[in-house]
């Protein structure tokens, strides 16, 4: 019993360390404060896949009275809860593949940039023009300008363990 | 995802889109995180390098303190000449540039003074075509620039009422491409397009000479519309370390020394500040709570070095009045603060330990100075910013940085400011891209990361013995591993670099199955170039760590730039250097080393080859290149 409790504490302590490290990367003046606009990057980098709506809710939860800043003392417990409860789990690769296949109506095995642009900028939680441009540059094969989604999923989902 | 009829299909498409968007946004955020870490690494290493300046400067003063004892080597004389030119920068040097013959075969620009627009245009085209300006014209240009600068005050006062808009640029660091891009986007300097360049024109980049020649040429052409502030890199000690001296010596083998001496004079004659409409102060670094613009206006700026170490040598044999000492020292400190300080968010003023000179100044210091002199804005440079510019202190301080891709391809944008009569700054950004194919975000982040990690690994390797000693303190049973926290702690205390060690751990070292760090793996994929048989590990590591300083010292000794120094000189210098460092190296080890390097036994050492041996080899480089072949 005592062993179980210890390992639970160890897990929480590990989680705290990870959260702190991610937070510190944006704590430019080393005063345990980050700009609220960086919170999404931090949350994503900790392994979470939230919807935009979830992110907005989370940020308003931890932000300091609409100041635009977030303190570590509010962020740490909130983020720990998110991680321990697996609130924003990763998207399984096969689900992602299915999603692309839904969009690839003609079952070509790839998407044209115009196709992808239409979906990304008009459906769901739409991309801005900037996000779209960056996505096309990042994902499009530069010879044929096609987006071969099958290859991309495996390539881009692999992350070094942070 | 289940499809049940046409209406459901529409919903399905939306669901699919949302999923992909989520996934992609997360991917981009991860990249951004990696970019941030990489930036931290570069910046930490850069500032730590500047701190190392202290090492070299104090070594020089150590040498000079001891010069009465060394009768065999005239190295100390060389150094004292270099550090404290016997000739006052104000005085005219003997330059016989008109006696230097320019061969018929020379196809570069042939300048005629006073300069005209056709001369500056010729320079622009020549430099775009990778041509080098002939030494004769370089010397003449520098000679004329020096004459002009002697007439200028320490602080230049400009007015927008005579001009359309003033353009203010930050650090260029020898990046000709960025300068040309600015001229292309914004226009060449002229009555309609006046410029202020805020220091750090040279060092680090490969085209410092071309950059500074263009700037001086326009200064001569339009002295009323072209203004240059001094930066902390407009200083001969910095130039020795950060590449300008080397660039001059390589491009101008015969007249390099003379050219450098003129540059030294010119740098010390550059104004230290510019004020626009009595409202906007422009300096390279920043301010301190001691900054006094009136005092700054009155000092003899050419007598004051920009180097932060007050080892401006007062020759031991001469006796100076105490008041002169004090005056020199306070002038020096004023200038050092202007050239080296950085803003910080907290109130107050503290020594800038990161850089080793100048201060960190808070918003209250800015507020007080601006109020005191009726100013409304401070524009400064000195720090690389991802967007090319940044505001702080509630908008009272602007940092402007004009060298894009400073750390690595894609690391940052460059920017310049345009200021009209209403004195509201407008920012213009740009980024020079060397490759015709636009790199993806992934490629850019990967490239920068690779570069930063390599630099970091070199640091680890350079401090190997100290690190191992640190690890062994935690590993009393000699298991070869320590916990992640212990590992991070050792690194923090030995290297004193402000980087997130725990997060970077996966890139730097291996874990044992039980989750502890196998610390020897830090050094695994690094090794010295050519193993020198008689060199002890300690010596190899010390030589590697101080290789930049050693190179500088050798460059000083090698008067004729032949690449060779005598074995005797090598031995003597090395003994002094190691004595200064407090490193206990056996005399015999040095002699063995000298002998083993002198391959042809003729009494001289090709020190370029010698340094090659201590260049670090990245053993995994080839493998990495293969893996990175895809994207």
């Amino acid at each position: 019993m005592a062993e179980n409790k210890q390992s639970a504490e160890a897990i929480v302590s590990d989680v705290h360390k990870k959260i702190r490290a991610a937070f510190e990367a944006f704590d430019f003046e080393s005063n345990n404060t980050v700009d609220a606009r960086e919170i999404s990057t931090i949350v994503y980098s900790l392994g979470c896949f939230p919807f935009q709506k979830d992110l907005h809710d989370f940020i308003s939860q931890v932000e300091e009275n609409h100041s635009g800043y977030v303190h570590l003392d509010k962020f740490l417990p909130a983020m720990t809860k998110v991680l321990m409860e697996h609130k924003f789990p990763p998207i399984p690769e096969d689900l992602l593949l299915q999603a692309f296949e839904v969009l690839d109506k003609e079952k070509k095995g790839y998407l044209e940039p115009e196709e992808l642009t239409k979906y990304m900028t008009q459906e769901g939680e739409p991309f801005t023009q900037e996000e779209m441009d960056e996505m096309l540059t990042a994902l499009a094969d530069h010879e044929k300008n096609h987006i071969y989604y099958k290859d991309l999923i495996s390539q881009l989902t692999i992350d070094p363990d942070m | 995802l289940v499809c049940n009829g046409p209406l459901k299909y529409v919903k399905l498409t939306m669901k699919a889109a949302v999923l992909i968007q989520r996934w992609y946004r997360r991917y981009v955020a991860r990249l951004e995180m990696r970019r941030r870490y990489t930036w931290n690494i570069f910046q930490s290493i850069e500032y730590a390098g500047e701190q190392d300046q202290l090492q070299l400067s104090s070594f020089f003063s150590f040498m000079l303190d001891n010069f009465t004892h060394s009768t065999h080597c005239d190295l100390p004389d060389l150094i004292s000449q270099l550090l404290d030119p016997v000739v006052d920068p104000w005085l005219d040097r003997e330059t016989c540039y008109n006696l230097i013959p320019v061969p018929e075969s020379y196809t570069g620009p042939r300048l005629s003074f006073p300069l005209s627009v056709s001369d500056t245009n010729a320079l622009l085209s020549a430099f775009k075509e990778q041509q080098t300006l002939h030494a004769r014209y370089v010397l003449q240009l520098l000679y004329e620039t020096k004459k002009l600068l002697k007439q200028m005050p320490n602080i230049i006062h400009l007015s927008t009422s005579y001009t359309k808009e003033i353009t203010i640029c930050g650090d260029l660091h020898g990046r000709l491409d960025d300068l040309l891009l600015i001229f292309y986007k914004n226009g060449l300097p002229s009555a309609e397009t006046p410029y202020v360049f805020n220091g750090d024109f040279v060092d680090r980049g490969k085209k410092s000479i071309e950059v500074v020649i263009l700037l001086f040429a326009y200064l001569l052409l339009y002295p009323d519309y072209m203004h240059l502030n001094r930066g902390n890199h407009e200083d001969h000690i910095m130039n020795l370390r950060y590449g300008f001296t080397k660039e001059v010596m390589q491009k101008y083998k015969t007249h390099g020394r003379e050219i450098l001496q003129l540059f030294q004079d010119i740098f010390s004659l550059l104004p230290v500040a510019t004020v626009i409409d009595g409202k906007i102060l422009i300096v390279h670094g920043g301010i301190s709570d001691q900054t006094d613009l009136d005092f700054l206006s009155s000092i003899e700026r050419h007598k004051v070095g920009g180097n932060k170490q007050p080892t401006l040598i007062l020759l031991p044999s001469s006796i100076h009045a105490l008041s002169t000492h004090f005056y020199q020292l306070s002038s020096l400190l004023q200038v050092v603060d202007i050239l080296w300080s950085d803003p910080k968010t907290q109130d107050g003023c503290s020594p800038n330990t990161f850089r080793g000179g100048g201060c960190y100044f808070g918003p209250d210091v800015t507020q007080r100075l601006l109020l005191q002199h009726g100013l409304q804005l401070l524009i400064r440079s000195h720090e690389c910013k991802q967007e090319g510019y940044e505001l702080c202190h509630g908008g009272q301080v602007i940092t402007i940085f004009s060298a894009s891709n400073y750390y690595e391809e894609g690391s940052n944008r460059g920017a310049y400011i345009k200021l009209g009569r209403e004195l509201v700054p407008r920012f213009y950004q740009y980024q020079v891209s060397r490759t015709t194919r636009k790199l993806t975000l992934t490629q850019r982040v990967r490239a920068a990361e690779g570069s930063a990690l390599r630099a970091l690994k070199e640091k680890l390797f350079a401090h190997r013995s100290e690190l191992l000693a640190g690890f062994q303190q935690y590993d009393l049973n000699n298991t070869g591993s320590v916990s992640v926290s212990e590992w991070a702690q050792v690194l923090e205390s030995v290297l004193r670099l402000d980087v997130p060690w725990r997060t970077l751990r996966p890139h730097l070292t291996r874990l044992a199955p039980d989750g502890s760090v196998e610390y020897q793996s830090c050094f695994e994929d690094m090794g010295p170039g050519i193993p020198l048989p008689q060199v002890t590990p300690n010596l190899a590591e010390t030589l590697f760590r101080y290789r930049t300083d050693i190179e500088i010292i050798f460059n000083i000794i090698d008067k004729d730039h032949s690449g060779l120094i005598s074995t005797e000189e090598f031995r003597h210098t090395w003994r002094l250097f190691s004595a200064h460092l407090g490193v206990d190296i056996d005399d015999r080890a040095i002699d063995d080393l000298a002998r083993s390097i002198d391959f042809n036994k003729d009494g001289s050492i090709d020190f370029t080859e010698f340094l090659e041996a201590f260049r670090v080899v990245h053993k995994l480089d080839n493998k990495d290149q293969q893996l990175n072949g895809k994207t």
Side-chain angles (χ1 to χ4, degrees):
Chain A
M1 286 298 279
E3 275 170 5
N4 275 349
K5 189 171 180 227
Q6 219 175 27
S7 65
E9 276 176 14
I11 291 172
V12 172
S13 152
D14 250 355
V15 165
H16 279 180
K17 281 206 189 111
K18 278 206 182 104
I19 295 175
R20 267 184 227 275
F23 193 86
E24 269 165 25
F26 291 93
D27 179 12
F28 302 136
E29 297 137 28
S30 308
N31 57 358
N32 286 335
T33 312
V34 305
D35 189 321
R37 288 165 293 182
E38 312 278 22
I39 293 294
S40 51
T41 309
I42 299 175
V43 171
Y44 280 128
S45 77
L46 287 166
C48 301
F49 285 76
F51 290 98
Q52 293 288 75
K53 184 179 154 314
D54 298 327
L55 265 179
H56 293 149
D57 290 341
F58 183 73
I59 292 173
S60 49
Q61 201 189 325
V62 294
E63 192 183 344
E64 217 50 52
N65 306 327
H66 308 290
S67 63
Y69 288 105
V70 174
H71 279 299
L72 184 61
D73 31 316
K74 258 200 186 155
F75 184 74
L76 190 62
M79 194 66 221
T80 308
K81 191 154 183 270
V82 163
L83 288 181
M84 298 299 281
E85 293 174 12
H86 304 286
K87 273 213 179 128
F88 308 128
I91 304 168
E93 271 188 37
D94 50 348
L95 197 61
L96 195 56
L97 184 60
Q98 279 184 57
F100 273 107
E101 282 170 349
V102 165
L103 300 185
D104 180 13
K105 282 191 264 203
E106 296 155 35
K107 309 289 166 233
K108 304 187 294 296
Y110 61 85
L111 286 171
E112 301 275 354
E114 300 79 39
E115 275 183 284
L116 187 60
T117 305
K118 188 181 75 171
Y119 290 122
M120 294 294 101
T121 55
Q122 290 173 16
E123 301 273 359
E125 294 173 324
F127 277 174
T128 61
Q129 187 57 45
E130 218 187 305
E131 280 179 298
M132 197 63 236
D133 289 340
E134 187 57 63
M135 188 187 203
L136 289 176
T137 321
L139 302 189
D141 164 278
H142 44 262
E143 276 168 50
K144 304 205 191 103
N145 216 24
H146 294 160
I147 292 126
Y148 291 95
Y149 48 83
K150 235 185 246 176
D151 300 328
L152 287 173
I153 292 171
S154 43
Q155 241 183 56
L156 299 180
T157 315
I158 298 172
D159 274 328
D161 167 45
M162 287 259 172
Chain B
L1 293 172
V2 178
C3 181
N4 278 335
L7 192 64
K8 292 254 172 161
Y9 185 76
V10 169
K11 265 195 172 173
L12 196 65
T13 310
M14 201 198 75
K15 266 192 173 169
V18 167
L19 208 67
I20 295 170
Q21 285 155 347
R22 238 171 79 198
W23 163 78
Y24 183 73
R25 281 187 167 119
R26 197 227 164 209
Y27 168 70
V28 168
R30 294 305 307 272
L31 280 183
E32 176 56 36
M33 202 60 157
R34 280 161 70 184
R35 204 222 290 249
R36 187 104 296 281
Y37 288 141
T38 305
W39 187 270
N40 284 351
I41 295 174
F42 279 130
Q43 212 168 42
S44 294
I45 293 182
E46 176 184 17
Y47 295 167
E50 287 182 353
Q51 256 191 50
D52 287 349
Q53 271 305 94
L54 283 167
Q55 198 67 260
L56 196 63
S57 307
S58 65
F59 171 56
F60 285 150
S61 46
F62 170 85
M63 294 255 288
L64 290 168
D65 288 343
N66 290 287
F67 88 96
T68 44
H69 303 297
S70 46
T71 45
H72 301 292
C73 186
D74 67 340
L75 176 62
D77 290 332
L78 284 168
I79 291 186
S80 75
Q81 258 179 47
L82 216 60
L83 288 186
D84 182 27
V86 173
V87 181
D88 180 341
W90 190 266
L91 298 178
D92 287 334
R93 285 190 193 269
E94 254 187 55
T95 23
C96 312
Y97 52 78
N98 40 12
L99 297 178
I100 300 173
V102 181
E104 284 285 312
S105 53
Y106 171 69
T107 52
R110 289 168 191 260
L111 306 176
S112 59
F113 291 81
L115 292 180
S116 64
V117 176
S118 56
D119 291 304
T120 48
N121 286 341
L123 285 171
L124 282 169
S125 336
F127 292 156
K128 281 182 194 157
E129 306 285 315
Q130 324 284 342
Q131 284 180 323
T132 308
L133 184 64
H134 195 276
R136 179 246 149 82
Y137 298 114
V138 176
L139 285 167
Q140 193 170 6
L141 183 90
L142 295 179
Y143 181 72
E144 295 295 325
T145 307
K146 177 175 168 176
K147 265 199 317 192
L148 180 65
L149 286 174
K150 275 162 76 165
Q151 298 167 28
M152 291 190 186
N154 299 341
I155 302 182
I156 310 265
H157 291 269
L158 297 181
S159 164
T160 53
S161 58
Y162 300 116
T163 59
K164 288 230 176 84
E165 275 183 318
I166 301 181
T167 307
I168 301 157
C169 300
D171 294 29
L172 285 170
H173 281 301
R175 310 295 170 98
L176 183 61
D177 289 343
D178 286 89
L179 182 60
L180 294 175
L181 188 58
I182 295 172
F183 284 164
Y184 177 72
K185 274 174 72 107
N186 193 53
L188 294 175
S190 67
E192 290 79 43
T193 320
Y195 278 91
V196 176
F197 283 91
N198 200 15
D200 278 11
F201 320 124
V202 299
D203 282 336
R204 298 192 195 275
K206 301 263 187 296
K207 301 252 174 133
S208 298
I209 296 176
E210 284 77 13
V211 165
V212 87
I213 285 177
L214 281 173
L215 294 177
F216 290 169
Y218 279 108
L219 180 70
L220 289 171
L221 182 63
Y222 297 124
D224 295 326
Y225 308 124
M226 183 73 166
H227 306 98
L228 306 177
N229 279 348
R230 188 176 187 181
N232 62 310
H233 277 263
E234 273 71 56
D235 167 81
H236 50 270
I237 303 258
M238 294 298 271
N239 298 153
L240 274 172
R241 192 187 191 85
Y242 289 104
F244 183 54
T245 308
K246 195 172 179 177
E247 189 187 322
V248 173
M249 291 308 195
Q250 280 175 349
K251 287 181 179 165
Y252 295 101
K253 291 198 161 53
T254 321
H255 299 278
R257 256 193 207 278
E258 206 185 336
I259 291 175
L260 277 174
Q261 276 172 343
L262 267 175
F263 269 123
Q264 256 187 57
D265 295 347
I266 288 174
F267 289 161
S268 66
L269 284 165
L270 283 168
V272 294
T274 302
V275 177
I276 300 181
D277 288 350
K279 292 252 169 275
I280 303 190
L281 174 63
I282 309 175
V283 293
H284 175 74
I287 55 175
S288 74
D289 53 2
Q290 301 298 310
T291 300
D292 181 345
L293 293 181
D294 299 318
F295 181 52
L296 212 51
S297 301
S298 69
I299 64 172
E300 291 177 278
R301 69 180 186 276
H302 60 281
K303 287 210 168 129
V304 170
N307 195 31
K308 53 202 163 145
Q309 272 296 87
T311 52
L312 280 200
I313 317 303
L314 309 168
L315 292 173
S317 56
S318 48
I319 301 165
H320 288 252
L322 211 61
S323 58
T324 320
H325 270 264
F326 181 73
Y327 175 80
Q328 283 233 342
L329 197 62
S330 40
S331 310
L332 172 68
L333 290 175
Q334 286 276 328
V335 173
V336 168
D337 283 344
I338 293 283
L339 300 182
W340 284 88
S341 300
D342 291 313
K344 57 166 177 167
T345 35
Q346 275 134 354
D347 276 349
C349 191
S350 48
N352 192 329
T353 45
F354 216 8
R355 305 250 196 193
C359 300
Y360 288 120
F361 61 99
D364 56 332
V365 179
T366 304
Q367 178 93 300
R368 209 178 315 130
L369 186 86
L370 294 182
L371 214 62
Q372 200 181 339
H373 293 276
L375 301 162
Q376 71 191 39
L377 177 63
L378 169 65
I379 297 179
R380 43 89 63 177
S381 303
H382 198 40
E383 283 181 293
C384 183
K385 296 293 177 190
Q386 215 161 55
E387 293 301 316
Y389 72 95
E390 197 174 89
L391 279 78
C392 65
H393 293 192
Q396 290 192 313
V397 175
I398 298 177
T399 302
I400 187 78
F401 194 84
S402 301
S404 64
N405 305 329
Y406 183 61
Y407 289 126
E408 182 59 68
E409 181 77 30
S411 66
N412 65 288
R413 293 194 164 103
Y416 55 88
I417 298 173
K418 293 209 75 140
L419 216 55
R421 211 170 303 175
E422 78 290 357
L423 297 183
V424 172
R426 288 196 330 279
F427 301 95
Y428 292 81
Q429 296 167 300
Y430 55 85
Q431 199 159 11
V432 167
S433 119
R434 239 147 271 141
T435 50
T436 46
R437 174 172 71 89
K438 192 178 165 189
L439 290 175
T440 65
L441 182 60
T442 316
Q443 286 169 320
R444 274 186 279 138
V445 172
R446 263 218 189 111
E449 209 174 33
S451 212
L453 286 171
R454 245 192 302 274
L456 208 53
K457 281 184 188 168
E458 285 188 12
K459 278 270 165 186
L460 263 81
F461 186 75
H463 292 265
R464 187 179 156 144
S465 310
E466 272 179 82
L467 288 170
L468 282 174
F471 294 140
Q472 271 146 13
Q473 279 190 340
Y474 287 107
D475 182 23
L476 298 163
N477 298 331
N478 248 333
T479 59
S481 51
V482 294
S483 76
V484 175
S485 325
E486 289 163 347
W487 179 83
Q489 248 168 41
V490 173
L491 286 173
E492 271 163 26
S493 63
V494 171
L495 295 178
R496 278 179 294 222
L497 285 175
D498 188 22
V499 292
W501 293 111
R502 283 178 191 80
T503 320
L504 295 169
R505 189 209 46 77
H507 297 282
L508 298 172
T509 184
R510 260 206 317 270
L511 286 182
D514 66 352
S516 61
V517 173
E518 291 179 357
Y519 51 81
Q520 284 280 8
S521 61
C522 292
F523 314 110
E524 242 169 40
D525 51 347
M526 304 279 287
I530 313 154
L532 291 172
Q534 285 113 322
V535 173
T536 62
N538 199 16
L539 177 58
E541 190 182 306
T542 311
L543 285 167
F544 176 70
R545 195 187 310 182
Y546 295 106
R547 64 200 187 287
T548 316
D549 293 351
I550 294 170
E551 189 170 356
I552 293 171
I553 294 167
F554 284 176
N555 282 333
I556 299 173
I557 302 173
D558 181 25
K559 274 191 269 194
D560 58 3
H561 309 290
S562 56
L564 300 170
I565 60 167
S566 81
T567 323
E568 170 68 45
E569 285 168 330
F570 169 75
R571 218 182 268 131
H572 187 85
T573 312
W574 181 252
R575 281 211 193 96
L576 275 176
F577 195 54
S578 55
H580 167 69
L581 293 174
V583 171
D584 198 14
I585 301 281
D586 186 32
D587 264 7
R588 220 156 25 105
I590 297 289
D591 287 347
D592 286 344
L593 182 60
R595 234 174 297 122
S596 68
I597 297 168
D598 179 14
F599 296 122
N600 53 5
K601 310 292 168 231
D602 66 348
S604 63
I605 295 173
D606 184 336
F607 71 87
T608 322
E609 283 180 352
F610 167 69
L611 283 175
E612 268 305 308
F614 295 94
R615 208 160 298 273
V616 169
V617 169
H618 299 263
K619 292 181 189 161
L620 295 183
D621 254 358
N622 286 334
K623 228 210 285 173
D624 276 347
Q625 270 167 32
Q626 279 170 31
L627 284 176
N628 282 336
K630 199 172 189 191
T631 2

